[in-house]
Each structure stands twice: as structure tokens, then as C-alpha cells.
């Protein structure tokens, strides 16, 4: 894992009974897999008022289905309504918030005070969580939001563990913090580069991720270097606090938030599963907790950028940004989802998600203990006809598996060393 030497927090501790693991869900399928793989709650976007306008956002009908599925696992569903609203954005906001309440949504994540106030007035069953877009970093600001009626504040990504400890020492309120995923090059999302370059407003859901672009650098019309010589970006390394779960728990973070509503199904399931195991292991026996290398290895199977610990221990420096060519993408590719398994024959039906064929090594994993590798053998379609490869998207493939598997277990294949 491309992080610094593991830091240690030595400040005041505020141990929790059990922190919440909060996962992103860009669509209904991702919601179901996030919950199945261990999320205590998921956050989604609706058709309006969210900051991921390019995600497969939820209709009210899909929200209801997602809420019902999550409830079977004892999980909750939150909706991001975190734009900074202009006048024209507010038409229909009351009906929209009432619709969220009727769908069974547990909370909204909001940044604009008028959206918060409107929700408290017209949809009182909805909790209002203050979005990270508010860049909240001190205990007095947290106290302000508590006094306004918010039971939870999502802190700015720039808040350190020491600052979190001070907040918890002064204010009895739930604290949510991002603990994994992409970091913004601006101050907790307050970016206008996207607006200037593409006329897409990052604070109204249209960010073009201009901090990830390649740039030529000039001074007084002299090119210092450019895309032909090097890659220069403003992109920071991704956040990963898997190695620091004890510090997050002990300092009092109530909700561990994973970034990534635009990320793949494989990414969401893999990351949630790794954090679920780490959190449960620590809570079961804090004095004898040990970080397992397999959890770190699993994170690397889904990571797209180098990783670090963000602002939790110190201010990121030059080594925490990506200035040269990025590392290669994750070494594994999502290949399939188990639909069913016959214990008598040892045959599984796997829904194809990416090309695979006989002779390739694949790995099965799942939240209930499935974890093994094997070489793909004979493949057939549901009619029993032999296949030389699984090449058609979502095609059910019949294949023999060397160990028992369960529905919603995943299969991935190695694509590079």
C-alpha cells in the first residue's frame, strides 16, 4: 500500500459502542451489494438536488425498493441533497422532500440552509445531516449546526484527528467523516475550475474533475513542461484509513464514510467488505486487534490511485499528490456475480460482467466467508451448450466451482501481475 509510515494518534479518546459503516450507492444494484457486503447505511442521489448528476440516480420507486432491501439487513438509506441552490432550483423542493420521507429515507445530507430548514418543516421524519460541503472544522460550528436541529455533521475532509477529538469533547453530536476514496483538490468541494473550463457547476452536480486533467505549464509564454514530457495534475492521492481503524474508533467518529457513488459495483463491494472485517475485528477484541494483510490486499484489488491518510495526522505535502504518471489501474477486473449454486453437482450459475474464458485464474469472494481461487474450466450456457468464452454482457454462465459459493458472491480475474 502506497502510504506513509503508519502514523499514530496519541490524543484524547472517545470510544464508541459501534461506528456506522456508510457506503456509496450510485444505483439500486450497488445499494443492494453495499448492504449485503456489510454497510450499515448507504447514501444515494435522487433525481434532483445532488452533486452527482452523472450517476444513475434513484427514482422514488427505486428508493422504496432500496429502503425495503436495506431494512432486511437492519441498514438505513440516506439521500444527498447537497447542492448550493439557486432560485430556480427551489421550485418543487417541498414536494421532493415529502417524497423522500414517504419513500422511507432515513436522512438527507444537505449543505444549503434553506434545504435543511425546508426539510425540518415539511418532512420532519427526515434527519438532516450537514454535508461536508459546509467545510465544518471546529467545535463551535458543529455546535451551531446542532443548535439548528441537525443530529449529525459530516466534517470537512481537512479535519484532523485532534480536531475531531476536540469537537467530540465539546459537542454531543454525531460526527461523520470520509475515511476512504477520492480527495478533492479544492477545499472540501468548493471548486470553480469546472465552471470556468466546461461551464459545468461542481456545486450543482456537474463537476468535470478538471483536477485530474493533464496540463501544460507556462511562465511568461515559455513552456516549462507539458503533456508530451510529463503529466502534471492537481490530483491528490486517494484516502485510505484501513490501517488506522483503531484511531478512528477511539477518537469518536460515529460514521465511517466511503466516497464513490460513481465507482463500480466491484469497487463498492470490495472496499465495504474490507472495512467491515476490520471494524468488526477491532470491536470484538480491541486489546488483541491485528490488521490483516489480506484486507489491505483486497483494497489494492479495487484501488485506482495511490493511497494515503489524508489530513487525519498532518497536512498533505507534495508526496501526497500525483504529479507524474499514475500507477497502473487495479490488477483485477470484475468478471461475474454468482446467481445460484448446486451443492450436489458443484455447478454455479455466474452472471457475466466482463470477458473470461477457460484456463484463466479467477477469484471468488463474498461477505459470508467465500474466498478462493481456481482455474476456469468448461463453460456452458443455460441450455447446456459449450462456450469457448463468456463474452456476452450479463449472460448466465454455468461453470464448475471448486468450493461452495452463494448468490451475490463475486468473481474477479487478474488482468496484470
Amino acid at each position: 500500500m502506497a502510504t506513509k509510515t503508519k502514523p499514530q494518534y496519541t490524543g484524547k479518546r472517545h470510544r464508541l459502542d459501534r461506528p456506522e459503516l456508510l457506503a456509496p450507492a450510485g444505483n439500486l444494484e450497488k445499494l443492494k451489494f453495499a448492504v449485503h457486503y456489510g454497510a450499515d447505511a448507504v447514501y444515494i442521489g435522487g433525481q434532483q438536488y445532488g452533486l452527482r448528476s452523472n450517476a444513475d440516480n434513484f427514482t422514488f420507486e427505486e428508493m422504496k425498493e432500496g429502503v425495503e432491501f436495506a431494512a432486511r439487513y437492519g441498514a438505513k438509506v440516506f439521500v444527498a441533497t447537497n447542492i448550493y441552490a439557486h432560485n430556480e432550483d427551489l421550485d418543487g423542493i417541498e414536494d421532493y422532500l415529502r417524497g423522500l420521507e414517504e419513500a422511507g429515507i432515513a436522512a438527507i445530507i444537505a449543505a444549503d440552509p434553506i434545504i435543511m430548514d425546508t426539510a425540518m418543516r415539511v418532512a420532519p421524519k427526515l434527519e438532516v445531516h450537514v454535508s461536508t460541503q459546509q467545510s465544518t472544522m471546529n467545535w463551535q460550528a458543529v455546535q451551531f449546526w446542532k443548535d439548528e436541529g441537525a443530529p449529525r455533521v459530516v466534517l470537512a475532509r481537512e479535519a484532523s484527528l485532534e480536531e475531531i477529538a476536540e469537537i467530540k469533547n465539546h459537542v454531543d453530536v454525531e460526527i461523520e467523516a470520509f475515511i476512504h476514496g477520492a480527495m478533492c483538490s479544492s477545499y472540501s468541494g468548493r471548486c470553480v475550475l469546472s465552471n470556468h473550463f466546461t461551464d459545468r457547476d461542481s456545486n450543482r452536480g456537474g463537476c468535470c474533475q478538471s483536477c485530474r486533467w493533464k496540463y501544460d505549464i507556462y511562465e511568461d509564454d515559455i513552456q516549462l513542461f507539458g503533456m508530451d514530457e510529463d503529466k502534471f495534475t492537481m490530483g491528490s492521492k486517494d484516502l485510505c484509513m484501513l490501517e488506522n481503524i483503531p484511531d478512528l474508533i477511539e477518537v469518536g467518529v460515529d460514521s465511517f464514510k466511503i466516497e464513490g457513488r460513481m465507482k463500480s459495483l466491484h469497487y463498492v463491494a470490495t472496499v465495504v467488505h474490507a472495512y467491515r472485517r476490520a471494524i468488526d475485528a477491532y470491536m470484538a477484541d480491541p486489546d488483541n486487534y491485528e490488521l490483516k494483510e489480506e484486507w489491505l490486499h483486497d483494497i489494492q484489488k479495487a484501488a485506482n490511485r495511490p493511497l494515503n491518510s489524508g489530513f487525519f495526522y498532518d497536512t498533505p505535502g507534495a508526496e501526497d499528490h500525483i504529479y507524474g504518471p499514475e500507477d497502473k489501474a487495479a490488477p483485477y477486473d470484475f468478471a461475474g456475480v454468482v446467481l445460484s449454486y448446486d451443492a450436489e453437482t458443484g455447478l454455479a450459475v455466474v452472471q457475466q460482467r466482463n470477458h473470461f474464458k477457460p484456463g484463466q485464474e479467477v477469484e471468488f469472494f463474498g461477505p459470508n466467508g467465500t474466498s478462493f481461487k481456481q482455474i476456469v474450466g468448461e463453460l456452458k450456457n443455460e441450455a447446456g451448450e459449450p462456450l469457448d468464452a463468456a463474452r456476452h454482457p450479463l449472460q448466465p454462465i454455468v461453470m464448475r466451482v471448486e468450493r461452495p459459493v452463494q448468490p451475490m458472491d463475486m468473481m474477479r480475474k487478474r488482468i496484470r501481475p
Side-chain angles (χ1 to χ4, degrees):
M1 175 172 288
T3 60
K4 302 176 183 177
T5 302
K6 182 183 175 183
Q8 297 290 330
Y9 174 72
T10 59
K12 189 168 183 178
R13 305 280 172 162
H14 301 263
R15 180 176 292 185
L16 301 176
D17 291 334
R18 175 184 167 91
E20 172 187 272
L21 181 58
L22 176 58
N27 58 35
L28 185 57
E29 183 182 44
K30 292 176 186 177
L31 181 154
K32 292 179 178 180
F33 273 80
V35 171
H36 182 65
Y37 276 72
D40 300 301
V42 294
Y43 64 100
I44 67 175
Q47 299 291 310
Q48 297 172 276
Y49 308 110
L51 287 186
R52 290 294 181 268
S53 58
N54 292 326
D56 296 328
N57 291 318
F58 286 64
T59 63
F60 284 126
E61 290 73 20
E62 290 172 326
M63 289 181 190
K64 291 177 182 178
E65 183 177 345
V67 168
E68 291 172 359
F69 181 89
R72 296 202 291 269
Y73 290 77
K76 298 179 180 180
V77 181
F78 308 151
V79 171
T81 57
N82 52 348
I83 67 166
Y84 284 111
H86 291 238
N87 290 322
E88 63 269 22
D89 294 322
L90 295 176
D91 292 339
I93 183 65
E94 293 189 3
D95 289 339
Y96 181 76
L97 294 169
R98 291 190 185 100
L100 297 182
E101 184 181 58
E102 292 172 3
I105 299 301
I108 62 168
I109 306 168
D112 194 310
I114 193 59
I115 294 179
M116 301 180 195
D117 182 72
T118 303
M120 293 176 185
R121 177 169 51 84
V122 306
K125 293 181 182 179
L126 287 177
E127 286 190 1
V128 175
H129 297 173
V130 180
S131 170
T132 191
Q133 294 295 110
Q134 274 291 339
S135 298
T136 307
M137 295 197 45
N138 63 80
W139 72 264
Q140 293 187 59
V142 173
Q143 183 67 59
F144 169 85
W145 289 118
K146 180 184 179 183
D147 292 343
E148 290 296 309
R152 178 182 295 190
V153 176
V154 189
L155 295 182
R157 286 174 171 87
E158 295 78 18
S160 69
L161 284 175
E162 288 189 2
E163 289 170 322
I164 295 173
E166 186 172 2
I167 289 168
K168 295 295 292 187
N169 189 48
H170 283 88
V171 189
D172 182 16
V173 70
E174 290 182 7
I175 292 298
E176 181 177 307
F178 281 95
I179 52 88
H180 193 95
M183 298 286 283
C184 186
S185 288
S186 185
Y187 206 90
S188 278
R190 295 171 179 260
C191 180
V192 294
L193 285 177
S194 179
N195 306 55
H196 288 304
F197 290 157
T198 65
D199 200 29
R200 288 168 52 180
D201 191 340
S202 56
N203 289 302
R204 297 174 81 187
C207 180
C208 68
Q209 295 194 336
S210 50
C211 58
R212 303 293 183 186
W213 294 0
K214 301 176 182 178
Y215 290 91
D216 294 321
I217 306 301
Y218 287 83
E219 182 178 358
D220 296 331
D221 296 327
I222 299 174
Q223 184 173 3
L224 301 180
F225 64 89
M227 289 184 288
D228 294 336
E229 304 173 35
D230 200 353
K231 180 191 287 187
F232 176 85
T233 77
M234 292 170 282
S236 66
K237 295 180 180 179
D238 281 1
L239 174 64
C240 178
M241 288 292 285
L242 185 65
E243 294 179 88
N244 310 103
I245 289 297
D247 284 351
L248 291 168
I249 292 175
E250 296 285 352
V251 83
V253 177
D254 297 275
S255 180
F256 294 179
K257 189 169 191 173
I258 298 169
E259 181 274 339
R261 278 192 284 143
M262 300 290 286
K263 295 292 179 67
S264 70
L265 181 66
H266 173 246
Y267 176 93
V268 171
T270 299
V271 174
V272 168
H273 187 39
Y275 278 94
R276 178 77 280 151
R277 287 175 287 170
I279 293 168
D280 288 350
Y282 183 81
M283 297 305 297
D285 190 359
D287 294 334
N288 296 300
Y289 172 79
E290 291 184 7
L291 178 74
K292 292 189 177 181
E293 287 296 321
E294 66 185 78
W295 305 337
L296 297 173
H297 292 159
D298 281 351
I299 288 289
Q300 291 288 6
K301 292 172 184 177
N304 293 312
R305 300 189 188 99
L307 306 170
N308 69 9
S309 57
F311 289 80
F312 281 106
Y313 297 95
D314 53 23
T315 301
E319 71 277 9
D320 296 299
H321 290 74
I322 305 167
Y323 295 111
E326 292 188 34
D327 290 354
K328 293 180 180 179
Y332 282 80
D333 201 0
F334 179 30
V337 173
V338 175
L339 300 180
S340 64
Y341 170 68
D342 188 330
E344 292 185 4
T345 63
L347 296 176
V349 179
V350 177
Q351 186 183 62
Q352 191 262 27
R353 294 304 178 98
N354 276 295
H355 182 280
F356 64 94
K357 62 183 180 181
Q360 285 185 315
E361 183 181 74
V362 294
E363 176 183 348
F364 286 90
F365 71 100
N368 297 313
T370 301
S371 179
F372 65 94
K373 296 179 181 178
Q374 73 168 66
I375 302 299
V376 177
E378 183 181 24
L379 302 178
K380 295 182 180 181
N381 62 21
E382 288 188 298
E385 300 167 334
L387 300 171
D388 64 346
R391 55 171 52 90
H392 300 297
L394 304 183
Q395 181 183 18
I397 303 293
V398 180
M399 62 181 290
R400 187 171 302 279
V401 291
E402 296 179 358
R403 299 183 190 178
V405 292
Q406 300 180 42
M408 296 183 77
D409 283 354
M410 286 190 172
M411 184 180 82
R412 55 190 170 206
K413 63 177 182 178
R414 181 178 285 278
I415 56 177
R416 65 175 176 83

